Amino acid sequence: MSRLKLKLAAAAAALVAGLGLGQANAETVRFWYHFDNPDNPMSGLVQKFEKQNPGITVEADNVPWNSYYDNLYTAIIGGNAPDAAMVKLFAQPRLVEMGALEPIGKRIDAWDGKKELLDNLLTLNAGPNGKQYYLPIQYVVLYLYYRTDLFKEAGLQPPKTCKEFREDAKKLTHAPDRYGFGFRGGKGGWDQWGTFVFSRGAKLEPGGLTTPEAIKANQWLVDMFRKDKSIPPSAPNDGFQEIIGAFKSGKTAMTIHHIGSANDLVAALGDKVSAVPVPKCDGHAWTSYGDESLAIFSASEHKDAAWKWISFLAEPENNVAFVKATGQMPVTKTGSKTYDGHPKRFVEATVNSLPFAHVLPQTSATSDFVNTEWQTAMQQALTGQITPKAMMEKLQGLFTK
Amino acid sequence: MKRDGFLKRLAITHIPVALVILLAIGPFAWMILTSLTPSAAIVAKGVSVSPAGWAPDNYVRLLAHTDFLGNMGHSLIVALGTVALGLVVSVTAAYAFSRFRFFGRRVLMLQFLLVNMFPVVLLILPLFTLMRRLGLLDTHLALIIANATVAIPFAVWMLTSYVGAIPKSLDEAAMIDGCSRLQALRRVVLPLALPGIISTGIYIFITAWNEYLYALTLGGRHVRTVTVAIQTLIGEYQIEWGLLAAGGVVGALPVTILFLIVQRRLVGGLTQGAVKG
Amino acid sequence: MSSINEALALEAPGPRRRRRLRRDAFLPYALLTPAVVVVLIIVFAPMIEALVTSFYDYVLFRPNAAAFVGIANYVKLFHDPVFWTSLWQTALWIGLTVPLQMGLGLIAALLLNRDFAWRGLARALVIIPWALPSVVIALMWRWIYDPNIGVLNDLLLRLDIVRAAIPWLASPDVALYAVIATLTWQGFPFFAVMILAGLQGIPKSQYEAAAIDGASAWRQFRHITLPGIGPILATAGLLRTIWVANSIDVIFVMTGGGPGYSTYTLPLFAFVKARQNLDFGYGSAIAVTFTVILGAIVAVYIARTMREVER
C-alpha cells in the first residue's frame, strides 16, 4: 500500500475509534413528562443541564396527560420504558408490583439536596414496602375557593365548619342562575368528596367505608345535591373544566380546587376570588395532597445519568423554574420562601392546609377507586340510581383485604 | 331540460343545501370564534362574538411557538402513505372479489369484516411489541402499516361494491379485443371506478389523519402526528382552548382542501354509452 | 350476468387459452395476497392472542400471577349487570346512530349532486364534521351541552323552549341520546360522500327517459336512484355499523361512560377494564364476546340483505 493510503487508513481507523469512544461517553436519558404549557419550557432546563453535564443528552417527551399512564404501562410492558418520568402516588403500588421502579433511597440519602426538601415530603411519598422510589418535585393542596363579591352581597363570611358551609351554600343558591357549591362528580372529584367524608372518619380500608359515620357523611353530601339543591344539576358529569368555568362565570359561589388554577381565576376575577382552607367537619379537617414526583425505572440502562437529571430538577433554582411552568408549589425550603408565582392569599391557603393534607393509602385498589370506581358510584348516587348507603357498600367492595 | 326559475332553484336547491351546510359547520363556527379570541380574553370574558375582539394570537402561537406545522407534516406523510398502500392493495383485492368466483371468496371477505370488529384497545399491546421487535417504533412506516390494517378491510368492501357496479361486459369486451386481465383492469375498470376510488381514498385519508391511539403508542418524539399534538393541549389542570380551537381549524384544513380538489371528479355519466347494444 | 365460465364454455380453449386459464385461476389469489398477509400478521395474530388471554386471570401489573381459569371470565361477565346494561346501550347506540347518519347523508348527497354554482365549496364544507379529530369534536360538544355556560341551553332558554337548563350529559336518561346526536353530526358526511360517489354510477339517460315518460321526482327517486345506490347503501351501512359499534373516542371524552354506566357500550367497557383497570383477562373476554355478538348480527345481515354482492 502507498504511504498516502496507509495514512488515510490510519486516520479513518482513528476516527472510527474516536467515534466509538465518544459514543461510550455520551449517554441519553429518555424522560417523560406532562406539562399543561405547550410552549415547552422544559427545553430551557434541558439546555442548562446538558451544559453542566457534557456527555449526557436528555430527550424529554411531553406525553398527553389523558393517556399518560396508559402509555407508560404499555411502554413498560412492551419493553420500551423511558429512563425516568414524572409519576404520581396513585400509580406507585402498581409500578412497584410490576417491579418497574428503581429504589433511590440510598441515592437520596447521599444527595446534597436532601436537606432542602420540605419536611415530611419524603415520608408522604414513601413506597408501600418502606423503600423510597419517588423524588418529590411539586405539590398542591386542595382548598376552598369562594367569591368574595357574592359572599359580601349575602353578608356572609367564608365557612369554617361544615355546618356553616352547608348553610352558606343554601343561602347563596338562587337556582337556576346561581348555586352555592360547584361539586365535581366526574373523574377526579373524589378529592372534594374526601373533605366531607374522610374528615368524618371514613377510611379506605376493610370496614372503613360502611361505618355509620361514613354512611351518614356520604348521605349528608348527597342531600346537598338532591334535597338542598345547592349544587348545580350538572354535577354528575362535571369535571375540572366545568367547575372552574361555572365558578368563573358566577354560576357557583364556592368550589374546591388548588393553586394550579389560581392564576387563571385571578386573571378572570381579580379580587373577587379568594381562598381559605377547607371547612372542618365535626372538628376534623381532611384535604387532599396532590403530589407529583420523579422516578427512575428499573429497566433503565442509564440509571446514574437519570439520577443526575432528576436530582437536578429538584434543586431549588431549577425546581422553581419547573413549577413556574406547571403552576404548582415548589418542594424546596429556599424555593418556597422566595416563590412569587401566585398571589399570596392562595399560597397561604395552601400552606395553612398542609397540617391536615393526606394522601390515599398505597394499594392497587386505590388506583381503581381513583380511576373508575369512585365517579361511577358517585354518579349513580347523585342521580338516584342507587342510595348513598349502597354507594358506600359498593366502594367498600374494593377494599376487602 | 328547461332551466327552472330562480325562485324555484332557491327553494329546492340553494336553501336546503345552505341548511345542510349550516348544520355541518354551525357547531364548528363556535370553534372558529374561539380560535380567533386571544387566550387571555377567553379566560376573562369568554369567546368574542364580535370581530372587534378577534386577533390572530392563537394562530401565531400555534404555528410559530409550537411544532404544529411539523406535526401536520408527519400526519400528512402517514395519511398519504396509508392512502397509497391502502388503495393499491384494496383496488386489486376488490377487482379479485368482484370479478372472480373462487374457493374461499366468501370466507376471505368475511375475514376482512371480522378483523375490524375487534376493539382496537386490545390490539395495541401486541402491536407495540411487534413493532418494537421489528425496530419500527417511532417511524412513519409503523403508523402507515397500522393505519392500513384498519382502513384496508373497509376499503376492500367499499371498492368491491363500486367495482361491482361496473358491468362485467365491459371487461370482457376489452379482453375480446386482446387485453389481458390486468390491462382490462387498468384501462377499462379503473377509469370507470374513479368516483368510488376517490371517495374511498378520502375515507382512508380521513381515517389515517384522525387516528389517535396507534399514533400515540407507536409514535414518539420523531413521529408526532396532529392528533397527539392536539391532545397535549389538554392538560391536567387547564385546557388551552384558544390553541385547541386553532389546532382544530388548521388540522381540518388539509382534508377540506383535498376534498375540494378531488370532488370535481365526482361526476357521473362515465358509464353512459360504453357498451352499445 | 355472464360469468367467465359461461363465456369460456362457448369456445373450446386452445393451448394459449389453456395456459392463460391456469394463470387466471391464480390471479385472484395473487391480487389478494398483499391485503390478506398484512391483515393476518398485524391484526389476526393479536386477536388470537387476545382470545387466549381471555382464558387467563391476567392483570397487567401482576404479570407473574397470571393463572389459567378457563371460561371463568366469561361466566363472570354474564353475571355482571354492567355487561347487560352495556349490551342494551350498544344496541340503542347502533340502532339510532347509523340510520340517522344514513338518512342525513342521503339527503346531503342528493342535494350535492345537483348542479349549482357553489357546489364545490358546499361539498368541501360538508366534510368538516368528519374531518375533525374525535377529541376536538367531543370537547366542542361537551362545551355546547354544558348547562352552565353552553350555547345549546342558552338558545333553548332564549327561545323559551325550556324553563331551566337541561344537564344533557349529567342526566342518565338523556346522556346517551346527547352523545348519539353528536355522533350523527360527526358521521353523516361519510354517507354523503359515499352515496355521492354511488350516484355518479347511475346513467343520466335513465332519468331522462323517466322524465319523458312523465314520472314525478319521487317516482324517479324510488325506482331509479334507490335501486341504483342500493348496494352502496347496504355496504356503507354495514361498514358504518361496525365502525360506530367500535367507536369509543367521543363517548370517552364526553362522559367517560357516565353518569354511572348510562353511556357504557361494550367496547368502552372493554377499554375501561383493559386500559384503566389493567385487567387484561377480563377485558379480553369482553372484547371477544362483543366481536362474537357483532359478528353474528353481521352474518345475519349479510345473508339476508346483501344478495347483490353475490352478483
Side-chain angles (χ1 to χ4, degrees):
Chain A
M1 254 206 273
S2 74
R3 287 187 80 201
L4 181 60
K5 276 198 194 157
L6 267 172
K7 277 203 205 148
L8 280 173
L15 187 62
V16 170
L19 276 174
L21 270 176
Q23 291 235 326
N25 280 339
E27 287 187 272
T28 306
V29 172
R30 289 172 57 231
F31 177 67
W32 282 14
Y33 67 101
H34 55 88
F35 269 11
D36 289 3
N37 191 330
D39 288 350
N40 201 6
M42 190 59 99
S43 48
L45 286 166
V46 168
Q47 271 172 4
K48 190 174 169 195
F49 176 80
E50 285 178 348
K51 241 206 222 142
Q52 289 178 0
N53 296 276
I56 305 184
T57 316
V58 173
E59 282 183 359
D61 287 335
N62 187 3
V63 180
W65 168 245
N66 276 344
S67 326
Y68 188 80
Y69 282 96
D70 294 351
N71 233 20
L72 190 60
Y73 293 133
T74 307
I76 293 174
I77 300 274
N80 197 34
D83 296 298
M86 272 168 77
V87 282
K88 284 192 191 274
L89 276 174
F90 78 78
Q92 189 167 214
R94 283 192 177 160
L95 290 172
V96 169
E97 216 170 334
M98 280 162 100
L101 295 176
E102 172 78 6
I104 51 177
K106 291 213 186 78
R107 290 183 201 260
I108 293 181
D109 288 336
W111 176 51
D112 274 341
K114 184 180 176 191
K115 54 188 184 303
E116 265 290 345
L117 289 176
L118 290 171
D119 300 326
N120 96 333
L121 278 191
L122 282 173
T123 335
L124 268 172
N125 284 290
N129 46 13
K131 291 203 189 144
Q132 193 75 28
Y133 298 97
Y134 278 16
L135 180 64
I137 192 70
Q138 60 185 8
Y139 75 97
V140 291
V141 175
L142 266 65
Y143 50 60
L144 183 72
Y145 278 118
Y146 69 99
R147 288 285 299 257
T148 53
D149 53 337
L150 298 178
F151 267 70
K152 198 160 163 209
E153 193 187 295
L156 295 169
Q157 287 295 317
K160 293 208 179 57
T161 65
C162 289
K163 192 147 175 273
E164 276 171 37
F165 172 80
R166 191 169 174 181
E167 286 303 312
D168 290 352
K170 268 197 275 198
K171 289 196 192 124
L172 289 160
T173 298
H174 303 294
D177 298 316
R178 201 207 301 160
Y179 294 88
F181 176 59
F183 179 66
R184 181 175 170 181
K187 184 172 177 178
W190 60 267
D191 49 21
Q192 292 189 344
W193 179 81
T195 296
F196 305 104
V197 178
F198 291 139
S199 57
R200 289 199 174 111
K203 284 196 179 45
L204 291 184
E205 55 182 38
L209 290 173
T210 43
T211 61
E213 301 86 41
I215 294 181
K216 208 165 137 216
N218 192 33
Q219 181 79 48
W220 183 93
L221 185 61
V222 176
D223 282 345
M224 270 187 79
F225 180 72
R226 291 184 71 80
K227 291 218 182 87
D228 299 356
K229 299 210 194 290
S230 53
I231 295 177
S234 58
N237 196 43
D238 279 350
F240 156 72
Q241 281 304 313
E242 286 73 21
I243 58 166
I244 295 294
F247 184 75
K248 257 191 229 171
S249 63
K251 257 288 167 50
T252 55
M254 295 186 279
T255 192
I256 293 179
H257 201 246
H258 57 68
I259 207 165
S261 48
N263 284 336
D264 202 37
L265 288 174
V266 167
L269 297 169
D271 281 334
K272 294 194 271 196
V273 58
S274 186
V276 288
V278 295
K280 287 191 183 161
C281 289
D282 299 338
H284 299 283
W286 187 102
T287 190
S288 174
Y289 172 84
D291 67 284
E292 190 89 56
S293 310
L294 301 175
I296 302 178
F297 292 99
S298 54
S300 165
E301 288 170 10
H302 307 282
K303 295 195 181 109
D304 292 326
W307 167 251
K308 285 207 183 106
W309 167 241
I310 66 174
S311 52
F312 166 83
L313 287 175
E315 286 166 19
E317 200 184 302
N318 305 320
N319 190 233
V320 167
F322 189 93
V323 298
K324 274 233 163 88
T326 59
Q328 300 192 24
M329 297 285 287
V331 290
T332 59
K333 296 185 176 125
T334 320
S336 303
K337 266 196 274 232
T338 57
Y339 191 58
D340 60 352
H342 300 285
K344 238 177 165 291
R345 55 191 188 280
F346 302 106
V347 177
E348 272 170 13
T350 302
V351 169
N352 290 341
S353 303
L354 271 174
F356 45 87
H358 300 276
V359 294
L360 295 181
Q362 295 265 298
T363 63
S364 69
T366 307
S367 297
D368 283 335
F369 175 80
V370 158
N371 266 329
T372 51
E373 299 310 306
W374 176 83
Q375 69 261 27
T376 314
M378 188 81 244
Q379 287 163 356
Q380 288 177 308
L382 286 175
T383 54
Q385 290 174 330
I386 61 179
T387 66
K389 179 160 184 255
M391 169 185 164
M392 297 303 267
E393 282 162 5
K394 188 172 178 222
L395 291 173
Q396 182 69 76
L398 285 173
F399 302 93
T400 49
K401 278 190 287 221
Chain B
M1 232 175 4
K2 256 199 312 188
R3 288 282 275 173
D4 295 322
F6 175 69
L7 275 176
K8 188 167 183 218
R9 264 187 296 138
L10 196 65
I12 290 186
T13 304
H14 292 287
I15 292 187
V17 173
L19 284 176
V20 170
I21 300 297
L22 199 65
L23 177 69
I25 64 174
F28 187 62
W30 190 248
M31 177 127 287
I32 297 181
L33 290 176
T34 309
S35 72
L36 289 170
T37 315
S39 277
I42 296 179
V43 163
K45 287 178 285 165
V47 171
S48 169
V49 182
S50 79
W54 293 351
D57 291 15
N58 291 318
Y59 289 97
V60 169
R61 224 176 128 207
L62 186 74
L63 299 174
H65 293 176
T66 66
D67 195 26
F68 201 73
L69 281 179
N71 297 317
M72 298 245 304
H74 290 302
S75 280
L76 206 61
I77 296 176
V78 170
L80 288 176
T82 312
V83 170
L85 178 62
L87 278 182
V88 165
V89 167
S90 311
V91 167
T92 46
Y95 189 71
F97 278 131
S98 80
R99 291 304 192 244
F100 294 89
R101 296 285 172 275
F102 51 92
F103 175 73
R105 177 180 176 273
R106 239 192 274 184
V107 167
L108 281 175
M109 281 209 87
L110 287 176
Q111 166 253 175
F112 276 125
L113 277 187
L114 186 69
V115 142
N116 264 64
M117 288 192 236
F118 202 73
V120 165
V121 63
L122 279 139
L123 301 175
I124 289 185
L125 204 47
L127 195 58
F128 180 80
T129 316
L130 175 68
M131 290 298 174
R132 184 178 63 87
R133 291 213 191 107
L134 291 175
L136 284 178
L137 276 183
D138 207 9
T139 61
H140 294 109
L141 189 59
L143 287 181
I144 291 176
I145 295 177
N147 280 321
T149 59
V150 174
I152 287 176
F154 278 3
V156 167
W157 270 76
M158 286 307 305
L159 281 172
T160 304
S161 210
Y162 287 123
V163 171
I166 298 169
K168 286 201 183 75
S169 44
L170 294 178
D171 299 34
E172 275 144 29
M175 286 195 299
I176 288 174
D177 281 351
C179 289
S180 74
R181 268 277 172 197
L182 285 179
Q183 281 176 324
L185 166 65
R186 196 161 52 86
R187 295 216 199 121
V188 175
V189 175
L190 280 188
L192 292 175
L194 198 59
I197 294 179
I198 287 178
S199 57
T200 309
I202 289 282
Y203 162 78
I204 300 179
F205 188 91
I206 290 182
T207 307
W209 184 267
N210 280 341
E211 203 287 321
Y212 174 61
L213 227 40
Y214 283 148
L216 173 74
T217 317
L218 301 174
R221 45 193 351 238
H222 297 121
V223 179
R224 176 168 280 214
T225 63
V226 158
T227 43
V228 177
I230 284 183
Q231 283 271 7
T232 60
L233 299 172
I234 301 162
E236 192 181 352
Y237 298 127
Q238 73 192 47
I239 297 184
E240 289 271 356
W241 285 107
L243 288 183
L244 189 71
V249 171
V250 175
L253 276 181
V255 181
T256 314
I257 295 176
L258 187 66
F259 190 57
L260 187 63
I261 299 174
V262 298
Q263 60 82 28
R264 270 185 252 137
R265 297 308 203 102
L266 284 181
V267 285
L270 294 171
T271 49
Q272 283 177 253
V275 177
K276 291 269 195 258
Chain C
M1 289 282 144
S2 58
S3 75
I4 184 173
N5 293 321
E6 285 173 77
L8 290 170
L10 294 176
E11 30 176 303
R16 253 186 119 212
R17 208 68 200 274
R18 256 198 303 252
R19 247 182 285 143
R20 211 216 224 157
L21 259 178
R22 238 174 296 153
R23 236 185 334 143
D24 275 359
F26 285 117
L27 195 56
Y29 296 106
L31 288 172
L32 279 171
T33 305
V36 173
V37 165
V38 166
V39 165
L40 229 59
I41 299 180
I42 307 283
V43 187
F44 236 76
M47 264 176 75
I48 305 292
E49 207 178 309
L51 178 62
V52 170
T53 309
S54 71
F55 296 125
Y56 282 77
D57 177 19
Y58 178 41
V59 175
L60 207 62
F61 53 92
R62 286 187 202 126
N64 302 320
F68 181 77
V69 289
I71 60 167
N73 280 327
Y74 292 95
V75 172
K76 183 171 158 206
L77 186 64
F78 294 133
H79 282 115
D80 193 343
V82 180
F83 170 70
W84 297 104
T85 314
S86 309
L87 184 59
W88 165 243
Q89 278 159 200
T90 310
L92 255 174
W93 170 250
I94 301 175
L96 285 176
T97 310
V98 178
L100 282 174
Q101 285 186 359
M102 190 186 281
L104 206 52
L106 181 59
I107 296 175
L110 290 171
L111 286 172
L112 291 170
N113 198 29
R114 304 228 180 111
D115 218 342
F116 55 98
W118 54 297
R119 180 169 77 171
L121 180 66
R123 286 177 173 185
L125 287 178
V126 104
I127 210 176
I128 286 179
W130 190 24
L132 290 171
S134 293
V135 67
V136 171
I137 292 178
L139 286 175
M140 206 167 81
W141 279 89
R142 218 180 128 114
W143 209 246
I144 292 177
Y145 282 138
D146 190 293
N148 298 322
I149 42 184
V151 159
L152 184 61
N153 280 303
D154 208 21
L155 225 71
L156 292 175
L157 283 168
R158 270 181 222 259
L159 294 176
D160 244 341
I161 300 181
V162 293
R163 315 236 15 241
I166 304 176
W168 296 98
L169 297 175
S171 160
D173 304 315
V174 178
L176 187 63
Y177 300 104
V179 182
I180 287 177
T182 302
L183 224 78
T184 305
W185 180 83
Q186 179 193 32
F188 86 89
F190 165 78
F191 280 106
V193 171
M194 293 299 163
I195 296 176
L196 191 60
L199 285 171
Q200 310 314 321
I202 304 175
K204 281 213 177 70
S205 50
Q206 291 189 5
Y207 290 110
E208 282 159 14
I212 290 174
D213 282 349
S216 71
W218 172 249
R219 291 203 62 148
Q220 288 183 31
F221 175 72
R222 259 200 77 202
H223 295 284
I224 303 177
T225 313
L226 270 189
I229 57 173
I232 306 293
L233 275 183
T235 310
L238 173 67
L239 298 179
R240 200 64 184 173
T241 300
I242 297 177
W243 187 91
V244 165
N246 243 319
S247 84
I248 53 173
D249 289 6
V250 173
I251 312 181
F252 191 66
V253 176
M254 281 183 90
T255 60
Y261 296 106
S262 45
T263 53
Y264 254 61
T265 58
L266 278 177
L268 185 69
F269 191 23
F271 181 86
V272 169
K273 279 291 162 196
R275 207 125 149 108
Q276 307 240 298
N277 299 134
L278 298 184
D279 189 349
F280 263 67
Y282 197 52
S284 303
I286 303 173
V288 170
T289 309
F290 169 71
T291 307
V292 167
I293 295 178
L294 188 61
I297 296 177
V298 164
V300 168
Y301 179 98
I302 291 181
R304 300 189 82 201
T305 64
M306 292 192 60
R307 302 196 195 284
E308 292 98 302
V309 182
E310 294 299 299
R311 238 186 315 140

